[in-house]
Amino acid sequence: MKIVVFGANGPTGRLVTRLALERGLDVDAATRSPLQFPLEHDRLAVERVDVFDRASVSRAVGGADAILSALGVPYGRQRITTYSAGITAMLQAMAEHHVRRLVCVSSSAVDIEAGPHGGFLFEHVLQPFVAGVLGKTLYDDMKRMEATLSGSEVDWTVLRPSGLFDADAVSDYRIAERYLPQKFTARIDLADAMLRQLDDRRFVRTTAAVGTVSGTPSVAQLMMREAFKRPPRQASLDGTMARP
């Protein structure tokens, strides 16, 4: 099987690419910054792709069996269109090249009515601030992305992680339609879940929550980790967002 990974140079995209190669898949890594991509393999091709350039998206999708999107952008006050524009370009390319399977990353924050993820502080202070203020433009575009997918004819699956954090190996995680109570998702668990959808038909044409069960940080720990991360030199179209 040959897959194309969009957002391949982001933290989740790199993990998806690495795990896919370890499992014997052929991978095209689609990124705006191919010279910065750290992986090399005889079954890996790295392509310069910008999701706002539909011709480059079409070239990447040609010959693929499935598309995995780990696109992401940082929070910002300006209108964000990366997710909706990206998925529109992917769907157009998939129609051109007769590709049916697509798995993409969204966030549990786009559907806070699905169910609770914590106590009073988390539910009534932290989550509303993140979803409705800090990340409003980002999650609004994720909602547009999901709406576009729901009206398409491809075999899509949307995976919704909660607070993303880094871990060394795939761990004990859960996946369920729409909602899970877990507050956090390890990026490597999300990457594993994305690849498993290639053979798992349970969540075709629906959304699925992904949550890590053990070894998760506290809310305070995660906020401290994100607060002291070195900021990116420039906004990137690659990778899942640091603060979903």
Side-chain angles (χ1 to χ4, degrees):
M1 176 179 282
K2 177 184 176 181
I3 65 171
V4 179
V5 180
F6 286 90
N9 220 2
T12 300
R14 290 181 180 183
L15 291 169
V16 171
T17 302
R18 192 194 79 191
L19 293 179
L21 292 170
E22 290 175 356
R23 296 170 192 185
L25 302 181
D26 294 329
V27 182
D28 275 8
T31 172
R32 289 201 309 168
S33 305
L35 296 180
Q36 298 175 12
F37 196 72
L39 303 178
E40 294 182 0
H41 198 281
D42 57 5
R43 282 186 278 101
L44 172 66
V46 183
E47 299 188 40
R48 184 185 301 275
V49 176
D50 187 328
V51 295
F52 292 101
D53 176 2
R54 294 194 179 185
S56 70
V57 174
S58 179
R59 287 193 297 270
V61 170
D65 298 299
I67 309 301
L68 278 67
S69 175
L71 283 176
V73 295
Y75 291 149
R77 293 184 179 182
Q78 294 182 342
R79 177 178 169 86
I80 291 172
T81 60
T82 302
Y83 302 98
S84 54
I87 213 66
T88 299
M90 291 176 212
L91 289 173
Q92 182 183 61
M94 291 172 72
E96 291 173 0
H97 298 288
H98 308 289
V99 180
R100 290 206 54 82
R101 191 68 172 110
L102 184 148
V103 182
C104 71
V105 175
S106 180
S107 170
S108 63
V110 306
D111 188 13
I112 60 176
E113 302 299 323
H117 289 85
F120 181 88
L121 179 64
F122 185 88
E123 293 295 323
H124 297 281
V125 179
L126 181 60
Q127 184 167 264
F129 175 72
V130 172
V133 180
L134 187 63
K136 185 179 187 306
T137 57
L138 186 150
Y139 298 124
D140 283 349
D141 196 41
M142 282 187 169
K143 292 174 184 177
R144 290 190 290 269
M145 175 187 72
E146 291 193 9
T148 299
L149 277 175
S150 67
S152 73
E153 297 181 354
V154 304
D155 294 338
W156 57 270
T157 298
V158 171
L159 295 184
R160 292 175 174 168
S162 293
L164 290 168
F165 70 99
D166 295 324
D168 294 331
V170 176
S171 66
D172 184 17
Y173 70 90
R174 301 286 183 269
I175 181 168
E177 188 169 347
R178 190 183 177 197
Y179 168 72
L180 284 169
Q182 279 75 30
K183 295 189 188 74
F184 303 106
T185 309
R187 287 185 172 92
I188 196 165
D189 290 343
L190 175 60
D192 182 76
M194 292 178 71
L195 288 167
R196 290 185 181 277
Q197 300 317 298
L198 299 177
D199 299 313
D200 188 344
R201 304 291 296 180
R202 290 178 298 162
F203 304 109
V204 171
R205 299 188 63 79
T206 191
T207 61
V210 182
T212 297
V213 176
S214 59
T216 60
S218 67
V219 173
Q221 288 172 330
L222 184 64
M223 292 179 69
M224 288 293 289
R225 288 180 191 177
E226 297 299 331
F228 286 100
K229 277 186 176 180
R230 181 177 299 176
R233 293 182 181 177
Q234 60 183 10
S236 172
L237 296 183
D238 293 334
T240 55
M241 56 287 179
R243 304 172 182 87

